Amino acid sequence: MKAFQIVPSVAEYAEFSDFAKDMALGPKDLILTNEYIYNPTIEALGLGCQTLFQEKYGAGEPTDVMVNQILGELRSMQYDRIIAVGGGTIIDIAKVLAVAESGDRVDGLYDKMASLHKVHPLIIVPTTCGTGSEVTNISIINRTTKGVKQGIVSPSMFADQAALIPGMLSSLPYGVYATSSIDAMIHAVESYLSPNACPLSELFSEQALALILPCWKAAADSGEKDGWKKYKAEFLRASNFAGIAFGHAGCAAVHALSYPLGGVHHVAHGESNQVMFAPVMKKYIEKQPVGKINRFEALLSRLLGCDEKSSISELYALMDRVLERKPMRAYGVTEDELPKYADSVVETQQRLLGNNYVPLTRDEILAIYESAF
């Protein structure tokens, strides 16, 4: 069994200014972020850091085209540390930049994953409550030439430090909160059910759920769109805990099956995961209703205050209060695409499928897609 470890040190700060002072940020540092984050929060501090704004190179989740453009831009810049301040896109790009030599391109990094080494120290400040990527060693890139999302994985891609600053979530739009917190919840569930889980990773999965589910319910019960912001520190910690859990035990079929939806139809990562979550879970229960899934039902029963038999259905209902699940066809998916998606998942996502609660055949994956359609 793989030894459990937490590689980056993790610290909490009240404000970004406290973090900047503690890290002695200055002219030799490169801040990778978005202008809408930098301008109201960081600019007035006058740190003198070099900056690079991701949106200049494209919108949405990271693609090989976007990252290659950024790599080209950086060839004319001299810097030491990379300070990544943002959500999943920023963090995934920063991990690539941390291991990229001058002249590297994305396809080449996939080809030499086994020999990647850290070129620049990396510090990550997450500004959403879902990715957990600040404590993992994987970057997910949409390889547009291949029509699939794939991970670059290397021990060298771990951050040197993760900094949790709840105040950075204050201006987060509701939609980003909803999709990112759903992503964190699914990280916790998939890592909990993974055959690669261990007692320590399960603690982090359980604690993530213990933070997310009551806070979801309280925020929804408040009737206020921004009611969740009262719990932003809890959601940020939960995302981090879930990241630690899936960094050890892995994500599984929900993520694997969501990637074509995100890669081809550009559905937000957390939202595409939500589309696949209930259909995958129902297939798991159909195939193996007795086993660790029963421990999961007992955990949900305690957290949601319901009986064990109905606990997973209660979870689906709570998720819909955060963000209503839509069928795949609502995003423009056509029925004739489903077999192609199933083939693509089997061909390209074995790394994730190996973490499934139960094995899934190609025909079972297709059946899941058909039930989600």
Side-chain angles (χ1 to χ4, degrees):
M1 177 181 286
K2 182 176 73 171
F4 181 85
Q5 58 179 340
I6 303 175
V7 175
S9 59
V10 181
E12 286 196 19
Y13 296 91
E15 304 291 344
F16 191 90
S17 57
D18 300 318
F19 160 74
K21 182 178 179 180
D22 196 33
M23 292 290 102
L25 299 189
K28 292 185 177 181
D29 295 312
L30 171 69
I31 296 180
L32 174 68
T33 188
N34 303 107
E35 280 193 273
Y36 65 83
I37 295 172
Y38 183 82
N39 290 343
T41 308
I42 304 172
E43 184 177 32
L45 299 177
L47 300 173
C49 298
Q50 300 174 68
T51 58
L52 190 146
F53 300 128
Q54 169 256 316
E55 59 267 42
K56 177 181 175 182
Y57 307 92
E61 296 174 359
T63 67
D64 46 9
V65 175
M66 182 192 302
V67 178
N68 283 334
Q69 289 179 342
I70 292 172
L71 288 169
E73 182 82 9
L74 291 178
R75 289 183 192 120
S76 63
M77 300 175 67
Q78 298 293 321
Y79 56 93
D80 293 332
R81 296 183 297 185
I82 297 172
I83 316 299
V85 185
T89 294
I90 291 291
I91 295 172
D92 278 359
I93 293 171
K95 290 178 182 178
V96 174
L97 303 184
V99 297
E101 302 274 6
S102 179
D104 274 335
R105 292 177 62 83
V106 170
D107 284 344
L109 294 173
Y110 279 98
D111 292 339
K112 63 177 184 179
M113 268 197 284
S115 60
L116 292 175
H117 65 278
K118 186 166 287 182
V119 179
H120 297 281
L122 175 62
I123 302 172
I124 297 176
V125 181
T127 62
T128 67
C129 51
T131 176
S133 189
E134 68 274 7
V135 288
T136 70
N137 65 332
I138 182 170
S139 173
I140 305 295
I141 304 294
N142 184 1
R143 303 185 75 179
T144 58
T145 56
K146 299 181 180 294
V148 66
K149 290 184 178 182
Q150 283 186 304
I152 302 177
V153 188
S154 169
S156 299
M157 293 172 69
F158 277 115
D160 297 278
Q161 179 165 327
L164 306 184
I165 308 173
M168 300 299 286
L169 274 60
S170 296
S171 60
L172 202 65
Y174 181 87
V176 180
Y177 145 72
T179 57
S180 62
S181 62
I182 284 171
D183 192 28
M185 190 282 296
I186 293 172
H187 288 159
V189 174
E190 292 209 288
S191 58
Y192 184 80
L193 294 175
S194 169
N196 299 310
C198 71
L200 285 170
S201 71
E202 288 175 1
L203 286 175
F204 283 94
S205 300
E206 292 168 1
Q207 188 58 36
L209 291 169
L211 289 169
I212 292 170
L213 302 187
C215 290
W216 267 355
K217 188 175 186 304
D221 288 346
S222 75
E224 300 176 4
K225 189 173 183 179
D226 287 338
W228 70 271
K229 291 185 179 178
K230 180 178 178 181
Y231 310 101
K232 58 183 182 288
E234 287 83 354
F235 282 117
L236 185 59
R237 291 184 194 120
S239 173
N240 183 259
F241 293 162
I244 292 169
F246 89 77
H248 175 85
C251 293
V254 176
H255 276 72
L257 271 68
S258 78
Y259 282 159
L261 189 57
V264 178
H265 291 273
H266 310 295
V267 181
H269 177 65
E271 190 168 358
S272 60
N273 278 340
Q274 185 191 24
V275 171
M276 302 315 308
F277 180 70
V280 168
M281 292 294 291
K282 289 174 183 177
K283 180 59 72 173
Y284 281 168
I285 294 167
E286 174 190 321
K287 289 198 69 177
Q288 192 167 312
V290 177
K292 195 173 184 181
I293 198 81
N294 305 126
R295 285 175 53 195
F296 177 61
E297 290 171 328
L299 173 62
L300 289 182
S301 174
R302 294 193 299 272
L303 295 175
L304 297 176
C306 61
D307 64 80
E308 293 182 14
K309 187 175 181 180
S310 66
S311 62
I312 295 180
S313 294
E314 290 289 334
L315 175 59
Y316 301 152
L318 180 57
M319 290 174 71
D320 279 341
R321 293 185 71 189
V322 178
L323 184 72
E324 187 173 355
R325 183 169 72 93
K326 300 175 185 177
M328 293 178 72
R329 59 181 170 274
Y331 301 101
V333 178
T334 59
E335 194 166 4
D336 61 353
E337 289 180 277
L338 303 183
K340 299 174 187 175
Y341 287 177
D343 291 337
S344 173
V345 167
V346 171
E347 179 183 350
T348 65
Q349 302 298 339
Q350 289 300 319
R351 178 184 62 83
L352 295 177
L353 296 177
N355 302 321
N356 288 353
Y357 170 62
V358 292
L360 297 173
T361 66
R362 181 266 183 195
D363 288 345
E364 287 167 340
I365 290 171
L366 177 57
I368 291 169
Y369 277 135
E370 290 171 342
S371 71
F373 181 71

